[in-house]
Amino acid sequence: MRATVKYRLVFLVLMIFSFVIGVQWTPESLTSDADKWSLYLICVVYFLLLPLSYWYCIIKMGAQKLWKLIIVFSLSSLVARLSFPAEVAHYFEFVAWLRYPIIAVLLVIELYLVVSVVRGLIKVRKLKGDPRVGAVETYRDGDEKSLTIALILASEATNWFYSIPWFSRHHPAAIANINLNSATRWHVWLMLIGCITASCSSYLLLVSWSEWLAIIVSSIIAYTLMSIVANHRLSRYYSLYLIRDNLVINNSLWGFMVVNIADIASVDNQESAELNKDEPETIIIGRGQSNVTITLNRPVIYHGGMGQLPEPMKVIHLSVDEPQRLIQALNNSKISVVE
């Protein structure tokens, strides 16, 4: 596990722990000095400790943009609005004021999403590769925000594209397969069972409070079944392939790279090499011993977090089932590009 991933997990655990303990310890009213000091401490955790942790673990160590700090401040404000005593919670009333414009924006986005899904399903019938590849090709050397938005819009079509075999019938053949847990049958069945269990459990837990909310939450969870199937098929059949002078590397749906063949400096078989997972601009993809190393002429973005956590990489270590076939295919492609 890379250092950046470890830091993300550390922040996730810290955030969950802080909010759970904070909500439990938040006094119902400020009737004593002890209650006030408890609330002061919780405020320090919500609005100082968590933002600092996010800045260090996600922004600094993960090389992300500073504007993303608004995410943790917004989340802390929402938790404060819902859990703090009434005499203090009203200071966070702006969160409630924002609900109407937020709902309006969400409705517009939802309508746009429906239109995008329909258009994506129409286009996806004739696609020969991952819809995200087109987004990267279009905005590879452009604005990062434009690429981020393009990847978000392409994600829905990507799920449909890989979850239904008929849509991906024209997909380029894999030149090798990365050894991924998500490509195994036991993994997909475990994920499917867990998703169905979570959907049913959420409905049973919420139906006594609100039937509409129970239906919405359980439906959203159940909708991820499509992503689970897409994730499995992508990992099992299309983890490595060539398209339009690009090598596409899929680390399941979670992360992917689109590497132009001209940017590949060398491809080597380094099965016995000792690898350091924390080397800068270096990534290891696949379980087990790495057996192929791809060195690049310039940094190429690895789109982690389903495209929302970009990181530049110059060295890619892969664990594949047929290393020699991959090396030969890439070398032949490099010769074709030069010619």
Side-chain angles (χ1 to χ4, degrees):
M1 184 181 296
R2 292 182 299 129
T4 54
V5 178
K6 294 177 182 177
Y7 281 112
R8 291 170 194 162
L9 292 176
V10 167
F11 174 76
L12 180 62
V13 172
L14 177 62
M15 181 184 68
I16 294 174
F17 179 80
S18 298
F19 285 147
V20 171
I21 298 300
V23 170
Q24 294 294 325
W25 283 2
T26 298
E28 295 183 2
S29 61
L30 302 177
T31 57
S32 65
D33 290 339
D35 292 336
K36 293 179 181 179
W37 279 107
S38 296
L39 191 62
Y40 292 154
L41 179 60
I42 292 171
C43 287
V44 169
V45 173
Y46 285 3
F47 299 103
L48 184 61
L49 177 61
L50 285 180
L52 285 175
S53 302
Y54 188 90
W55 172 81
Y56 182 77
C57 296
I58 307 298
I59 295 176
K60 182 180 179 181
M61 302 306 299
Q64 300 301 307
K65 299 295 183 180
L66 187 61
W67 66 264
K68 293 185 178 182
L69 266 175
I70 195 173
I71 297 174
V72 68
F73 277 115
S74 300
L75 191 56
S76 295
S77 298
L78 178 61
V79 174
R81 172 65 181 85
L82 297 175
S83 63
F84 277 14
E87 55 263 50
V88 178
H90 73 275
Y91 290 111
F92 300 93
E93 190 65 26
F94 67 89
V95 177
W97 295 341
L98 291 174
R99 68 178 181 271
Y100 296 112
I102 289 175
I103 290 172
V105 171
L106 288 176
L107 287 175
V108 173
I109 294 175
E110 192 70 25
L111 290 174
Y112 181 76
L113 182 60
V114 171
V115 175
S116 299
V117 170
V118 174
R119 292 175 59 187
L121 290 178
I122 294 174
K123 292 180 180 179
V124 85
R125 297 178 304 157
K126 300 180 180 179
L127 285 177
K128 295 185 178 181
D130 192 327
R132 299 171 299 173
V133 176
V136 173
E137 288 177 326
T138 303
Y139 299 102
R140 194 198 308 257
D141 299 319
D143 181 26
E144 181 181 323
K145 293 182 180 178
S146 299
L147 177 57
T148 299
I149 295 173
L151 290 175
I152 293 174
L153 296 177
S155 61
E156 188 68 25
T158 301
N159 286 334
W160 285 96
F161 181 73
Y162 283 112
S163 60
I164 300 177
W166 187 74
F167 286 158
S168 53
R169 66 192 187 281
H170 298 306
H171 198 289
I175 55 177
N177 296 301
I178 303 176
N179 299 317
L180 299 168
N181 284 326
S182 53
T184 60
R185 299 298 188 189
W186 65 264
H187 183 274
V188 68
W189 280 111
L190 183 64
M191 294 294 291
L192 289 173
I193 293 172
C195 180
I196 294 172
T197 302
S199 179
C200 296
S201 299
S202 65
Y203 180 85
L204 294 175
L205 289 172
L206 296 173
V207 68
S208 59
W209 184 51
S210 171
E211 186 173 0
W212 278 109
L213 182 62
I215 293 173
I216 291 172
V217 173
S218 61
S219 299
I220 291 174
I221 296 175
Y223 187 71
T224 59
L225 286 169
M226 181 180 65
S227 298
I228 293 173
V229 175
N231 183 59
H232 173 70
R233 295 194 69 251
L234 175 66
S235 301
R236 189 174 182 88
Y237 302 113
Y238 309 115
S239 56
L240 282 169
Y241 65 92
L242 294 168
I243 183 172
R244 297 186 292 273
D245 293 331
N246 291 309
L247 169 66
V248 181
I249 305 172
N250 284 309
N251 186 11
S252 67
L253 273 179
W254 174 258
F256 74 103
M257 297 183 71
V258 181
V259 182
N260 192 287
I261 296 298
D263 292 331
I264 298 178
S266 63
V267 185
D268 303 304
N269 188 330
Q270 297 187 2
E271 186 170 354
S272 61
E274 292 293 331
L275 304 179
N276 181 6
K277 296 181 179 180
D278 295 332
E279 287 183 8
E281 298 187 338
T282 299
I283 188 170
I284 303 173
I285 301 176
R287 57 188 174 88
Q289 179 66 48
S290 172
N291 48 24
V292 173
T293 297
I294 301 175
T295 305
L296 306 177
N297 295 317
R298 63 185 182 91
V300 175
I301 297 299
Y302 171 77
H303 301 279
M306 301 185 74
Q308 306 312 302
L309 295 172
E311 297 178 76
M313 299 295 173
K314 287 194 69 174
V315 180
I316 308 164
H317 299 291
L318 300 173
S319 174
V320 301
D321 57 350
E322 297 181 85
Q324 293 302 328
R325 180 184 174 188
L326 172 61
I327 294 172
Q328 183 178 1
L330 292 181
N331 287 331
N332 291 339
S333 298
K334 287 175 63 179
I335 294 173
S336 300
V337 170
V338 172
E339 294 178 348

